[in-house]
Amino acid sequence: DLLLVRLETLEQSVSRLAIRHKDTLMIGRSHGIHAEPTTFGFKLLVWVDEIRRNRKRLAAAREDIAFGKISGSVGTHANVPPEVEEIACRHLGLRPASVSSQILQRDRHAHFMSTLALVATSLDKFATEVRNLQRTEIGEVEEPFEEGRHGSSSMPHKRNPSRCERVSGLARVIRNNAGTALENVTLWHERDISHSSSERIILPDSCIALDYILWLFDGIVSGLRVNEERMAANVHSTHGLVFSQGVLLALIEAGMSRQEAYGVVQGHAMRAFEEGESLQNLLAADPEITSRIGTEELTEIFDPARHLRWIDTAYERLGLNSEGDK
């Protein structure tokens, strides 16, 4: 229950930030390299959808683990009738297992632990994104850094993403604990106790660790510093290279073969990259391009707004249409 509340709180925090930055232009990246424009809010919207999936998974795991049994040494109710099991489980808020051995089967526990690991891995993914965007060379976001806080014990200028790193580190522990839970599914006959000792560690430790990093990352999101100017500057830092796909598709639409169009655009793109020239200007000076793409169309291709015209659809699908909608 506590973990589900934490997830709901985090979803609300990320949703607010996604709405606030719906139109905050930034560069999208694939393989770590500039790809095409997107918005910071749209990036966060992907997180919102993932958090919602994790809420459903955790609720399902909670249901799957909420069973009990008092069925005897091998599960046959030889000495305790099923009625006693049903009464006792009802008082505990559990359902009686339809069938059991001396124990509840550990696939239930593995499901629960795997779900904790998946939630933790999503947090790791989000935290890693913040860590990458906080790198000096990128500088687009920064986790909260309060006055008087030390970023480095030896270098006073440092503002390290140490909280996000803490999230990533504890997520590794929870993932590895899930591996132990999977190992615990395999027991001898009607039971052994090879699972028991490890469960005393992995179950409470994983719940506590996940509770902590959910709280920690919610604080990071709530206090996140977003550098909108740096985001916009990074979009244009490669002299228009990120609009190359639009040019490629326009040339194909105008009748050029894809292979030929790709070669033409790539040639100009490499020159723009190596010489620091404007890709749009290079293309506008090439008769092979201008004979197929007019000046007005070329200008439209290099307008970032062209890439953002459909992002409202994703917001509508998630019910985040305005500041008050959730």
Side-chain angles (χ1 to χ4, degrees):
D1 290 345
L2 293 172
L3 295 173
L4 284 167
V5 170
R6 290 280 194 215
L7 268 174
E8 182 180 7
T9 301
L10 179 61
E11 181 193 329
Q12 292 170 355
S13 297
V14 178
S15 295
R16 284 193 294 270
L17 204 59
I19 292 169
R20 189 181 311 149
H21 291 284
K22 180 169 74 75
D23 300 314
T24 301
L25 185 68
M26 72 176 298
I27 192 65
R29 298 171 173 89
S30 58
H31 305 274
I33 306 300
H34 285 203
E36 291 187 331
T38 183
T39 73
F40 186 54
F42 189 80
K43 179 190 289 287
L44 295 174
L45 205 63
V46 175
W47 296 9
V48 172
D49 199 27
E50 188 164 337
I51 293 168
R52 289 184 180 182
R53 292 195 299 275
N54 280 330
R55 285 181 62 188
K56 292 178 182 178
R57 289 167 180 144
L58 187 56
R62 183 189 185 282
E63 289 296 308
D64 200 39
I65 202 67
F67 282 81
K69 53 80 59 185
I70 306 176
S71 58
S73 299
V74 293
T76 59
H77 293 94
N79 300 297
V80 180
E83 181 184 6
V84 173
E85 178 182 68
E86 292 166 4
I87 293 171
C89 286
R90 186 165 60 248
H91 278 290
L92 293 169
L94 303 173
R95 286 167 288 171
S98 300
V99 61
S100 60
S101 62
Q102 190 181 133
I103 59 166
L104 287 171
Q105 301 307 292
R106 260 41 195 177
D107 63 285
R108 296 184 186 277
H109 303 70
H111 177 203
F112 178 70
M113 287 294 302
S114 296
T115 301
L116 298 189
L118 192 51
V119 175
T121 298
S122 291
L123 294 176
D124 183 13
K125 166 187 169 181
F126 306 155
T128 299
E129 183 70 13
V130 173
R131 290 166 61 192
N132 265 315
L133 295 179
Q134 188 168 330
R135 290 166 54 197
T136 305
E137 297 82 2
I138 297 176
E140 294 179 349
V141 303
E142 184 182 24
E143 70 171 43
F145 194 90
E146 298 80 9
E147 185 177 351
R149 178 179 167 189
H150 288 186
S152 165
S153 60
S154 59
M155 294 170 281
H157 73 279
K158 297 290 291 297
R159 293 159 69 105
N160 299 329
S162 57
R163 292 175 185 168
C164 285
E165 290 169 344
R166 207 180 310 157
V167 171
S168 293
L170 288 175
R172 296 170 188 171
V173 173
I174 298 170
R175 276 197 296 271
N176 278 280
N177 285 349
T180 301
L182 291 168
E183 296 286 346
N184 285 343
V185 174
T186 305
L187 302 173
W188 287 17
H189 307 301
E190 277 60 55
R191 85 161 297 185
D192 62 53
I193 59 168
S194 60
H195 63 94
S196 178
S197 54
S198 62
E199 284 176 352
R200 296 168 196 270
I201 299 171
I202 64 173
L203 288 169
D205 281 10
S206 297
C207 288
I208 292 168
L210 183 57
D211 181 75
Y212 173 65
I213 61 176
L214 280 167
W215 169 82
L216 184 62
F217 194 69
D218 181 65
I220 292 168
V221 170
S222 298
L224 194 68
R225 300 182 180 189
V226 181
N227 190 335
E228 299 181 28
E229 293 76 17
R230 186 67 172 266
M231 287 181 173
N234 283 342
V235 170
H236 300 289
S237 65
T238 54
H239 314 291
L241 289 179
V242 298
F243 302 102
S244 68
Q245 183 176 191
V247 181
L248 169 67
L249 296 176
L251 288 174
I252 294 171
E253 187 72 20
M256 188 178 285
S257 73
R258 190 183 194 285
Q259 185 173 352
E260 183 183 3
Y262 192 98
V264 170
V265 176
Q266 186 182 49
H268 286 297
M270 293 304 99
R271 182 182 169 190
F273 178 78
E274 292 166 3
E275 299 178 10
E277 295 285 339
S278 162
L279 177 60
Q280 184 175 356
N281 291 344
L282 291 175
L283 294 170
D286 185 344
E288 190 174 17
I289 301 292
T290 55
S291 64
R292 292 175 170 84
I293 303 176
T295 302
E296 185 176 341
E297 183 180 2
L298 192 61
T299 299
E300 289 178 358
I301 291 172
F302 280 79
D303 183 355
R306 181 173 170 271
H307 292 264
L308 313 179
R309 54 188 166 175
W310 299 116
I311 66 170
D312 281 346
T313 301
Y315 279 82
E316 291 165 5
R317 288 174 175 174
L318 293 183
L320 296 177
N321 301 325
S322 68
E323 188 68 42
D325 291 344
K326 284 245 330 93

